Amino acid sequence: MLKKILIANRGEIAVRIIRECLDTSVEAVAVYSTADSESLHRMIATESVCIGRPAVRDSYLNMGNIIEAAKGTGAEAIHPGFGFLSESSEFARKCREAGLIFIGPSPETIDLMGNKSAARELMQKAGVPVVPGSDGIVENPDQAVEVAGRIGYPVLIKASAGGGGKGMRKAADESQVREGFLAASLEAENCFGDGSVYIEKLIENPRHIEIQILADSHGNVIELGDRDCSIQRRNQKLCEEAPARNIPDDMRQAMKEAALKAARAANYVNAGTIEFIVDKENNFYFIEMNTRLQVEHPVTEMVTGVNIVREQLRVASGLPLSVSQEDIEIKGHSIECRITAEDAFNDFRPDPGKIAFLHFPAGSGIRVDSALYNGCTISPYYDSMIAKVIVKGENRNDAIRKMRRALEEMIISGVKTTLPIQHLLMYNETFIRGNYDTGFIEANLGVLLEIYKAAGEAVTSETVGEENV
Ligand code: ADP
Ligand code: ADP
Ligand code: MG
């Protein structure tokens, strides 16, 4: 087993991984920017190294400084977390060249799957259904119009290097395709340094269902079941649950088999996720593979009892997975709410600042993954996600009740957060019934905000009326 690893990340995910190291007697080296010198991940690590100035390119994306920190502290491996360098094949390669283990798949696999357009082609060859769309990259607006005409409107223009919902544009006609092509390319160039785009048919308000994969270097590939991540704002997930509700058994089985096929086709090793969208007729289509640990991995941990980060450390150490497919049994139901420091009444603008008072919920079946502490400062330089509240219930209704209780108990003061919105979501009839899709937030956010406004900070079961679950 690895003895010492460096965690090339910050915030809640760095804390999550460092805790795992400490629990398994692995020494954890934190890295931090000058803006993060008082951050929790630095304080709980075995040791820590400053890697540069606050801007991400100077610190958390600074490959040279991170690798130097690993070598200087005698770390054998680097865990990249999610975001930042987690899907950079260049970084994975640099680790290898420096004699360090990158905790994730090989750079070759990242190249194969990180290019979303190339991944589509590979999946098609492997017999995994993909959304109808372009064969590879679309070079210019004229070609985009030609492709869109062939697959039929409406379409979605997507960045091949895309992530986090960035670099995507809907188009319902020829002029929108021309506009969308340029806008998506520009955004992709700015966000990812690669402006190439491809086109998919726009599936109207699909569900987003994904399968968690674990694979080791001994040829074992297993799935840990599904998650529904359809509660999204601007193509970014807000709330996730496992298992997905209202899907027929044969379809669930087919999705798992497709995901295993996809992982094998990519020679996948370590933890990864196969994302699908599902249309109204329950046809499912591969959209992408995330070649890393996912934000919402805790819901899968809750219902399977498998510790995904611990398995990642085992796999990176060259050990086989500690569980086989036969061991995997889905028990109960889990929900995760992502809490961000954002002003819901101001187009969700980030609201950094100092935490004046903090109280986290606790009790049976409740987990909070966060880097917050009383009096800490939320920096304006980084992602605004500050906490994930995860619950496990005996069944879905039990999980919803637990999440209501957890969010009612939780207090974060000093900055504006999306906690009240998440809390209201747990009382929403459509959510409770479980008939939602990716169009849910667009259709319901206005109503949620109105209730929130009327209730002020005091969103409780009294203000919204107890919906029976
Ligand atoms: P997940 O399914 O795990 O939520 P996302 O695509 O939403 O995956 O990304 C996970 C996290 O990484 C989010 O916090 C997101 O903001 C961040 N992220 C994703 N892609 C990028 C990127 N290319 N650059 C910076 N941050 C990213
Ligand atoms: P990212 O890399 O940014 O996570 P994805 O390809 O995973 O991008 O798509 C993010 C979200 O955008 C999906 O979960 C879904 O809600 C929506 N989406 C993506 N492709 C399509 C499509 N072809 N039709 C409809 N919605 C889509
Ligand atoms: Mg995605």
Side-chain angles (χ1 to χ4, degrees):
M1 189 74 176
L2 292 167
K3 292 200 169 48
K4 188 171 194 175
I5 74 165
L6 179 143
I7 296 88
N9 215 299
R10 63 177 306 285
E12 69 84 19
I13 196 60
V15 168
R16 159 76 183 93
I17 298 163
I18 293 167
R19 284 177 174 154
E20 201 56 51
C21 292
L22 302 179
D23 288 351
T24 47
S25 304
V26 174
E27 285 184 69
V29 181
V31 292
Y32 64 96
S33 72
T34 51
D36 275 343
S37 57
E38 292 182 29
S39 61
L40 186 66
H41 78 282
R42 180 189 177 195
M43 290 189 252
I44 67 168
T46 319
E47 62 191 284
S48 62
V49 181
C50 182
I51 47 163
R53 295 169 54 78
V56 292
R57 66 174 177 282
D58 296 330
S59 49
Y60 298 105
L61 292 180
N62 187 328
M63 303 187 199
N65 285 4
I66 292 170
I67 287 175
E68 214 171 284
K71 293 174 87 169
T73 54
E76 303 146 271
I78 298 186
H79 196 311
F82 54 69
F84 296 131
L85 296 169
S86 61
E87 294 180 273
S88 164
S89 59
E90 185 188 350
F91 182 62
R93 240 172 227 118
K94 287 204 160 119
C95 287
R96 185 194 270 168
E97 283 157 17
L100 296 161
I101 296 168
F102 175 82
I103 304 181
S106 69
E108 292 74 23
T109 297
I110 300 177
D111 274 335
L112 214 54
M113 299 309 267
N115 178 324
K116 293 167 73 175
S117 165
R120 273 171 58 83
E121 287 178 53
L122 180 70
M123 290 303 113
Q124 259 174 310
K125 281 198 197 110
V128 175
V130 302
V131 188
S134 57
D135 297 323
I137 300 298
V138 172
E139 304 285 350
N140 53 55
D142 286 338
Q143 195 194 347
V145 168
E146 184 264 309
V147 172
R150 181 165 52 75
I151 60 178
Y153 289 97
V155 297
L156 194 60
I157 301 154
K158 299 174 73 170
S160 197
K166 300 238 161 57
M168 251 183 254
R169 290 293 183 280
K170 290 180 191 175
D173 57 38
E174 187 178 324
S175 78
Q176 287 181 6
V177 168
R178 289 185 189 279
E179 249 171 67
F181 177 90
L182 297 174
S185 306
L186 188 67
E187 188 169 299
E189 183 63 50
N190 288 337
C191 293
F192 314 111
D194 172 4
S196 45
V197 299
Y198 63 107
I199 299 185
E200 278 179 2
K201 177 136 189 82
L202 180 82
I203 308 292
E204 302 274 5
N205 294 342
R207 292 174 66 183
H208 173 117
I209 299 180
E210 58 187 31
I211 309 281
Q212 175 71 51
I213 292 288
L214 278 180
D216 63 25
S217 52
H218 302 266
N220 302 303
V221 185
I222 66 170
E223 47 79 12
L224 300 185
D226 49 88
R227 299 184 281 253
D228 189 315
C229 313
S230 303
I231 303 287
Q232 301 181 352
R233 181 174 168 272
R234 299 196 175 150
N235 303 316
Q236 258 205 319
K237 301 158 187 167
L238 303 182
C239 171
E240 306 92 349
E241 60 181 307
R245 74 281 158 249
N246 303 341
I247 58 174
D249 284 347
D250 55 343
M251 177 192 165
R252 197 187 299 274
Q253 200 49 40
M255 287 182 81
K256 289 175 180 180
E257 273 156 28
L260 289 170
K261 218 192 269 182
R264 289 203 186 94
N267 287 321
Y268 205 79
V269 172
N270 218 295
T273 299
I274 311 288
E275 296 191 331
F276 296 100
I277 50 176
V278 179
D279 69 13
K280 298 283 180 271
E281 282 78 48
N282 272 350
N283 297 304
F284 62 86
Y285 308 96
F286 168 90
I287 47 171
E288 67 160 340
M289 177 166 201
N290 289 323
T291 56
R292 55 170 164 84
L293 186 65
Q294 204 116 355
V295 175
E296 58 275 21
H297 77 278
V299 293
T300 299
E301 297 189 322
M302 295 293 245
V303 296
T304 58
V306 176
N307 186 322
I308 296 174
V309 176
R310 193 170 290 191
E311 294 301 323
Q312 287 194 291
L313 299 182
R314 279 182 67 90
V315 170
S317 306
L319 296 169
L321 294 171
S322 75
V323 283
S324 65
Q325 192 67 64
E326 293 71 52
D327 300 328
I328 305 303
E329 197 190 332
I330 307 297
K331 278 208 186 117
H333 197 93
S334 179
I335 303 177
E336 171 182 277
C337 288
R338 300 189 187 188
I339 313 289
T340 52
E342 290 172 350
D343 182 356
F345 295 116
N346 211 335
D347 199 28
F348 291 84
R349 214 170 51 198
D351 189 40
K354 194 174 159 73
I355 298 292
F357 182 80
L358 185 71
H359 173 73
F360 279 172
S364 127
I366 293 181
R367 165 174 169 185
V368 181
D369 279 18
S370 172
L372 293 182
Y373 60 86
N374 246 319
C376 75
T377 299
I378 298 166
S379 158
Y381 292 100
Y382 312 110
D383 197 273
S384 52
M385 189 176 75
I386 52 171
K388 304 187 308 208
V389 180
I390 306 113
V391 301
K392 181 191 178 176
E394 282 172 20
N395 52 47
R396 188 165 185 270
N397 283 354
D398 192 34
I400 292 174
R401 282 194 298 268
K402 236 181 236 284
M403 185 60 91
R404 289 175 176 179
R405 199 264 288 166
L407 297 180
E408 192 161 339
E409 240 180 68
M410 191 169 195
I411 303 170
I412 304 173
S413 55
V415 298
K416 296 193 176 73
T417 76
T418 53
L419 199 158
I421 304 279
Q422 298 282 16
H423 195 193
L424 287 172
L425 176 63
M426 296 299 128
Y427 290 92
N428 178 279
E429 217 179 297
T430 308
F431 179 79
I432 293 168
R433 289 202 183 135
N435 317 322
Y436 62 82
D437 56 39
T438 53
F440 175 86
I441 288 292
E442 204 179 318
N444 291 277
L445 186 60
V447 174
L448 294 178
L449 286 174
E450 260 170 48
I451 305 174
Y452 177 17
K453 197 165 209 167
E457 288 300 316
V459 174
T460 64
S461 50
E462 281 100 77
T463 40
V464 289
E466 186 78 54
E467 283 280 348
N468 268 336
V469 294

